[in-house]
Amino acid sequence: MMSDTIREIVKKKYAEAITGKKGCCGAGSSCCDTSLSKATQKITGNLYSETNIEGLSTDMIATSFGCGNPTALAELYPGETVLDLGSGAGLDVLLSAKRVGPFGKAYGLDMTDEMLQEARENQKKSGITNAEFLRGHIEDIPLPDNSVDVIISNCVINLSADKDKVLKECFRVLKPGGRFAVSDIVLKKPLPPQLQQDLTAWAGCIAGALSDTEYQNKLAAAGFESVELQVTRAYDFTDSESELFSKLSKEELTKLEGAVVSSFIRARKPKTAR
């Protein structure tokens, strides 16, 4: 698959998803029946509670398409600078901005205009001023070298067709000793070939996922140390109603059992690195 094709498919699907999610039935609902939500319902549901987003609109949960809750697992401290890759409607950015406080800063990076518009509207409603949303690609982060304390991301790196470049960019913008702390989809065993080539499966956070070993090796190759992967959720697609999985035979669905998991992935840029 051409990387530009994948990028455009992902961009289109998430633009449609954020447009469709507006006006949904409420926090955490799945009443909007987009092709993306069908493919990812099992992955994106029930990740945030109203307690998690105290002080923010509960409707923001309905516009989060992640596979984890990195802000609940990442260590963030007052005064730090945080970057969220693929920030979507801005939930994790605004949560991070609250945690780093008025002397800290939270950046969100996204390539989809509809997502950025929604994020900026959510920021305005929240009254949070120490956040900023940037337009761009995670393969080419528009921030200087050694400028960020923590990088978070919520089920976005798997969407990139050039993960090596993403991880090298993460390493570049992190300060020496900076932390990589992302939620992402990870494979425990190979996917059926037709899923690997399905663009809807790619946009749905599945086809582009790395194995746990591949993720560890790519982080190490980019220069990171202290790499850890912690499984946070496993998925069973055998009873999925999505058209994506209805194409598979019963045997293929059975083989998918235990193959797809959400993981919290930690790593650190060495303190001596520049």
Side-chain angles (χ1 to χ4, degrees):
M1 295 181 193
M2 295 294 292
S3 59
D4 288 346
T5 301
I6 292 170
R7 178 181 284 171
E8 288 307 310
I9 290 291
V10 169
K11 187 175 180 180
K12 180 182 177 183
K13 289 290 185 182
Y14 280 85
E16 290 173 352
I18 192 64
T19 302
K21 281 289 182 181
K22 290 181 181 179
C24 263
C25 311
S29 75
S30 57
C31 61
C32 296
D33 193 23
T34 65
S35 59
L36 182 65
S37 67
K38 276 188 175 183
T40 61
Q41 185 177 13
K42 287 179 177 291
I43 291 174
T44 62
N46 302 317
L47 297 172
Y48 298 84
S49 67
E50 292 187 22
T51 302
N52 290 150
I53 63 165
E54 185 176 356
L56 300 175
S57 169
T58 55
D59 289 341
M60 290 183 69
I61 300 175
T63 56
S64 175
F65 301 103
C67 61
N69 183 347
T71 57
L73 296 170
E75 294 180 353
L76 302 178
Y77 301 103
E80 288 192 317
T81 299
V82 182
L83 169 63
D84 180 16
L85 300 181
S87 49
L91 176 57
D92 290 327
V93 176
L94 298 179
L95 289 172
S96 298
K98 290 175 66 177
R99 289 180 62 187
V100 300
F103 298 106
K105 183 70 176 280
Y107 290 101
L109 176 62
D110 208 280
M111 67 176 177
T112 307
D113 290 331
E114 291 85 351
M115 286 290 189
L116 290 166
Q117 180 181 348
E118 183 82 359
R120 288 166 181 150
E121 289 175 2
N122 285 330
Q123 180 183 2
K124 186 176 180 179
K125 291 175 187 175
S126 74
I128 292 172
T129 58
N130 61 325
E132 182 178 347
F133 292 95
L134 308 172
R135 190 182 190 283
H137 300 124
I138 62 175
E139 298 87 357
D140 187 17
I141 299 171
L143 288 174
D145 296 357
N146 307 315
S147 58
V148 175
D149 294 292
V150 187
I151 287 176
I152 64 171
S153 185
N154 198 347
C155 203
V156 170
I157 294 175
N158 68 79
L159 298 173
S160 173
D162 193 346
K163 296 172 182 63
D164 291 316
K165 191 171 183 182
V166 174
L167 297 178
K168 287 176 182 176
E169 277 289 274
C170 290
F171 191 86
R172 178 184 67 79
V173 301
L174 279 171
K175 298 175 183 177
R179 286 114 58 206
F180 178 89
V182 310
S183 292
D184 215 345
I185 294 295
V186 173
L187 301 179
K188 289 292 188 179
K189 50 187 175 182
L191 297 175
Q194 67 187 97
L195 264 188
Q196 294 176 24
Q197 299 300 317
D198 192 301
L199 286 173
T200 300
W202 197 292
C205 308
I206 296 169
L210 298 171
S211 72
D212 47 5
T213 302
E214 286 174 325
Y215 223 127
Q216 290 171 320
N217 290 343
K218 286 182 181 295
L219 281 164
F224 287 96
E225 62 182 13
S226 304
V227 178
E228 298 178 12
L229 276 74
Q230 173 190 349
V231 174
T232 55
R233 182 184 284 192
Y235 303 104
D236 177 10
F237 296 106
T238 55
D239 62 347
S240 175
E241 296 179 359
S242 167
E243 291 179 11
L244 178 63
F245 300 102
S246 66
K247 301 174 185 177
L248 301 179
S249 67
K250 289 185 179 180
E251 183 181 356
E252 287 173 320
L253 280 172
T254 300
K255 288 181 179 178
L256 266 182
E257 186 177 352
V260 183
V261 300
S262 289
S263 289
F264 186 61
I265 301 150
R266 295 180 178 89
R268 186 179 292 271
K269 182 174 179 175
K271 292 182 179 180
T272 55
R274 294 292 172 184

